[in-house]
């Protein structure tokens, strides 16, 4: 974990200080504070804002289709489909435990840092995001890991919320997809990185607008993750997904500095910015 405020922009959005971008295999573009001249940084900033605007304009139903493909619906997904999905996924992402010896050999003499996702990794996926509790056994396992390696939890959620679920003060927490990073509270020199603070009023404004716009869609849920927002589709009838997506797009078209991206039955609104 780095203490600088370098920013990584990827197709999933933005992360700060080397935080992993959950779910993103995209190549990042790095904008380094010290390397950029003021003029160069300003033009880069404009470029990113232009990119964000273009992304928002070109957003179409394709991401609803992608979300549908990545998230078989409750009604269609019988046990057999679930097993198929799992096998396909496991083929693409074989367990690291199967390669334990190679990993141990490759890490000899290197510093190991553990980066863990929260939802669907440390906690089960549940319909109500506020009830995604972690088991005591999982908490004990993470506590053990943190005794041996610096350990960070990287999440799309608000950092405080993840901390409240996990409750281990010895960890690093990267909330809002890396926009809000804090080191162990036992260390007074601990890093605190919040490169997007200037956008908090915009995020709050968009949160209120989205809550109002989506209240007519049963099951829709807008979650305020502080430096980004999530619009949850999981409990919405699939027939209404396109309508809901259109509503979300209509709102963010007025905010070109925000980027819309997608997760599993969730849409994220992520700020794009760079530090100068
Ligand atoms: O980066 P992550 O920690 O994986 O965060 C991604 C999103 O996770 C949460 O939503 C997901 O889990 C919910 C609870 O199990 C589930 O209801 C939802 O359908 C999933 O998408 C979180 O609520 C979001 O804000 C995060 O962006």
């Amino acid at each position: 974990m780095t203490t600088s405020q370098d920013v990584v922009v990827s197709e999933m959005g933005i992360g700060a200080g080397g935080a992993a971008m959950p779910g993103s295999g995209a190549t990042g573009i790095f904008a380094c504070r010290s390397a950029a001249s003021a003029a160069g940084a300003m033009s880069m900033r404009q470029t990113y804002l232009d990119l964000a605007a273009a992304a928002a304009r070109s957003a179409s139903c394709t991401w609803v289709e992608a979300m549908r493909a990545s998230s078989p619906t409750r009604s269609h997904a019988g046990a057999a489909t679930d097993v198929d999905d799992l096998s396909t996924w496991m083929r693409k992402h074989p367990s690291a435990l199967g390669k334990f010896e190679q990993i141990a050999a490759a890490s000899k003499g290197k510093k190991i840092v553990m980066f863990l996702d929260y939802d669907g990794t440390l906690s089960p996926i549940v319909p109500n995001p506020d009830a995604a509790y972690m088991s005591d056994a999982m908490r004990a396992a993470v506590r053990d890991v943190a005794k041996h390696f610096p350990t960070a939890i990287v999440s799309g959620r608000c950092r405080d919320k993840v901390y409240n679920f996990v409750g281990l003060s010895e960890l690093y927490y990267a909330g809002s997809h890396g926009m809000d990073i804090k080191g162990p509270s036992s260390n007074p020199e601990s890093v605190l990185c919040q490169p997007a603070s200037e956008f908090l009023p915009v995020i709050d404004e968009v949160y209120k607008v989205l809550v109002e716009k989506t209240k007519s869609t049963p099951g829709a849920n807008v979650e305020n993750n502080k430096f980004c927002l999530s619009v949850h589709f999981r409990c919405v009838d699939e027939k209404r997904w396109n309508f809901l997506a259109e509503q979300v797009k209509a709102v963010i078209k007025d905010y070109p500095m925000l980027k819309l991206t997608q997760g599993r039955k969730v849409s994220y609104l992520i700020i794009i910015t760079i530090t100068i």
Side-chain angles (χ1 to χ4, degrees), residues 117 119 125-127 129 155-157 223 225 230 232 234 264 268:
D117 180 32
D119 288 281
I125 291 290
V126 292
S155 174
R157 289 193 185 247
E223 188 180 9
N225 292 325
S230 295
H232 290 276
R234 183 171 294 276
R264 283 183 71 83
Y268 311 124

Side-chain angles (χ1 to χ4, degrees), residues 8-16 18-26 89 93 115-121 125 152-158 162 173-181 225 228 230 259 261-264 266 268 270:
V8 183
V9 179
S10 80
E11 75 181 24
M12 282 292 284
I14 190 166
M21 296 305 299
S24 170
W89 196 89
H93 308 91
F115 291 94
L116 302 168
D117 180 32
Y118 184 74
D119 288 281
T121 302
I125 291 290
I153 298 187
V154 185
S155 174
R157 289 193 185 247
C158 163
V162 183
Y173 290 87
S176 309
H177 294 289
M179 298 280 204
D180 188 5
I181 302 176
N225 292 325
C228 59
S230 295
K259 179 178 177 179
T261 180
Q262 73 188 61
R264 283 183 71 83
V266 68
Y268 311 124
I270 297 179

Side-chain angles (χ1 to χ4, degrees), residues 111-180:
K111 177 144 182 145
I112 297 175
V113 179
M114 293 294 292
F115 291 94
L116 302 168
D117 180 32
Y118 184 74
D119 288 281
T121 302
L122 299 181
S123 68
I125 291 290
V126 292
N128 176 4
D130 290 335
Y133 301 112
M134 185 180 174
S135 69
D136 288 341
M138 185 64 87
R139 186 170 295 102
V142 175
R143 186 183 286 121
D144 270 358
V145 167
K147 282 182 192 151
H148 300 282
F149 312 111
T151 300
I153 298 187
V154 185
S155 174
R157 289 193 185 247
C158 163
R159 177 167 56 80
D160 289 347
K161 228 184 210 179
V162 183
Y163 180 80
N164 287 337
F165 279 134
V166 178
L168 298 173
S169 60
E170 59 270 45
L171 309 184
Y172 288 80
Y173 290 87
S176 309
H177 294 289
M179 298 280 204
D180 188 5

